[in-house]
Amino acid sequence: MPAALLAVLIVLYLWVSGQELDSTEQRRINADNITTVVREHIELAVLSTVLVLVIAIPLGIVLTRPALAKVTRPAIAVFNIGQALPTIGVLVLFAVVWDIGFWPVIVALVAYTVLPVLRNTMVGLQQVDESVIEAARGMGMSRAAVLGRIELPLAVPIIMAGVRTALVINVGTATLAAFVDGGGLGTLIVSGTAAGRDLIIIVGAVLTAVLALTIDYLAGIAEDVMRPRGL
């Protein structure tokens, strides 16, 4: 994957270098501007995903405890609403009633991607064999110890699958931040569309795809590292 992505970037660079760029294209397609928008895009995707983890994983743990079984379905229904709402609609609503810029985009991304991580956390914990939990309890382990040493390690592969999904969704959806002055690679696509410059659009789209695949690849490595031995 890294070799393929590097080859795509090299081909893109050689192709753009061979074009006669007008003043609009030169302002958008240069090292300084591309570095800036890529950094902004990474900040949007990574920060929103970190916030999703902080919210979804503890909540997923709580909702799988027997004492809260009755509120599990209503809680999932609430988070389903966040994913059902179109992100661009949420961004426009925030722009009207709140503000434009970085933080409204972060909140919209969190609302849109919290469900995959929450659902995978719950599924990962629920699929742990009850006999394994009972055996650990029979050995004298506390509920907290069973959770930390048995349930969560066994649930890591499924949880990480949800995290990878959230990361890729956030990278793609963060392009919409350009519509509310949130920065990111979407500014290339939007400005290219407004100016009628296909070259700028292609550069923004290719860089977004490469970034999404790169982050997914890195998340896959993290998943392998965190996977308990024997699974």
Side-chain angles (χ1 to χ4, degrees):
M1 180 63 73
L5 296 177
L6 180 60
V8 170
L9 292 176
I10 291 173
V11 170
L12 179 65
Y13 173 78
L14 294 176
W15 178 62
V16 173
S17 299
Q19 304 294 315
E20 285 289 340
L21 304 182
D22 59 27
S23 59
T24 300
E25 292 168 336
Q26 289 175 1
R27 286 196 305 272
R28 295 295 182 181
I29 309 176
N30 59 75
D32 290 339
N33 188 57
I34 288 178
T35 301
T36 298
V37 296
V38 168
R39 174 181 54 78
E40 292 172 348
H41 208 94
I42 292 174
E43 289 175 352
L44 288 168
V46 173
L47 179 57
S48 59
T49 303
V50 169
L51 292 176
V52 165
L53 298 183
V54 171
I55 295 170
I57 293 180
L59 186 58
I61 293 171
V62 170
L63 290 177
T64 55
R65 302 305 93 183
L68 293 178
K70 293 183 178 180
V71 302
T72 298
R73 288 184 179 274
I76 294 295
V78 170
F79 286 100
N80 269 323
I81 294 173
Q83 192 167 52
L85 293 173
T87 307
I88 186 63
V90 175
L91 290 174
V92 172
L93 179 62
F94 284 168
V96 173
V97 302
W98 179 16
D99 197 2
I100 62 174
F102 184 81
W103 286 108
V105 175
I106 292 294
V107 174
L109 291 176
V110 169
Y112 191 65
T113 56
V114 71
L115 181 62
V117 180
L118 174 63
R119 185 167 49 206
N120 278 40
T121 300
M122 296 178 64
V123 170
L125 292 171
Q126 290 167 346
Q127 58 84 40
V128 177
D129 195 332
E130 285 291 335
S131 62
V132 175
I133 298 175
E134 291 176 3
R137 293 286 291 161
M139 294 171 61
M141 295 178 66
S142 65
R143 293 186 183 276
V146 171
L147 175 64
R149 299 176 61 182
I150 304 295
E151 294 182 78
L152 283 175
L154 292 176
V156 161
I158 298 178
I159 294 174
M160 286 302 299
V163 174
R164 291 177 68 177
T165 300
L167 277 168
V168 174
I169 290 175
N170 279 342
V171 172
T173 309
T175 56
L176 299 175
F179 289 104
V180 291
D181 197 27
L185 287 165
T187 57
L188 294 178
I189 299 173
V190 171
S191 62
T193 302
R197 303 295 194 279
D198 292 341
L199 182 63
I200 302 177
I201 299 173
I202 292 172
V203 170
V206 172
L207 290 178
T208 301
V210 169
L211 181 59
L213 291 173
T214 300
I215 289 180
D216 182 66
Y217 175 77
L218 295 176
I221 295 176
E223 180 180 349
D224 292 336
V225 171
M226 297 175 65
R227 184 189 303 269
R229 293 182 180 181
L231 290 183

